[in-house]
Amino acid sequence: MSMSESEAYEAGMSLPSDARRRLAIRLLESVDRDEAFDAAAESWLRNEAAAAYDALKADPSRAIPAEDVRARFEAKWAARS
């Protein structure tokens, strides 16, 4: 018997956080990348990521500690519920 997408989602959400993380990675790795994804990733790397890197190299005082970035993401994630 197969599950619907929403049933699979609900089952996945009932897993502990670490298990969900591992499952998400496995699911992402199972999906074939396509040309549109590759083009978007390449564009992001060449434009946004490269520009951000250059700006940070030019003014290192703009750096944000990784712990602060993680805390911001966790706060945004928690606010979703």
Side-chain angles (χ1 to χ4, degrees):
M1 178 177 173
S2 65
M3 283 184 173
S4 71
E5 181 180 330
S6 63
E7 290 170 326
Y9 174 81
E10 292 302 323
M13 290 305 292
S14 70
L15 295 170
S17 179
D18 287 346
R20 286 196 318 269
R21 186 176 298 115
R22 289 189 303 272
L23 177 59
I25 290 169
R26 289 177 63 188
L27 287 170
L28 285 171
E29 289 173 343
S30 74
V31 176
D32 292 332
R33 292 171 32 179
D34 60 16
E35 288 182 31
F37 175 86
D38 290 339
E42 182 71 22
S43 175
W44 177 81
L45 285 170
R46 292 190 180 276
N47 298 310
E48 294 179 46
Y53 176 80
D54 291 342
L56 185 58
K57 290 294 278 184
D59 183 5
S61 70
R62 298 179 50 177
I64 301 170
E67 300 82 24
D68 292 353
V69 173
R70 184 175 202 66
R72 288 180 192 176
F73 281 130
E74 288 174 353
K76 283 185 180 183
W77 185 260
R80 292 176 3 139
S81 300

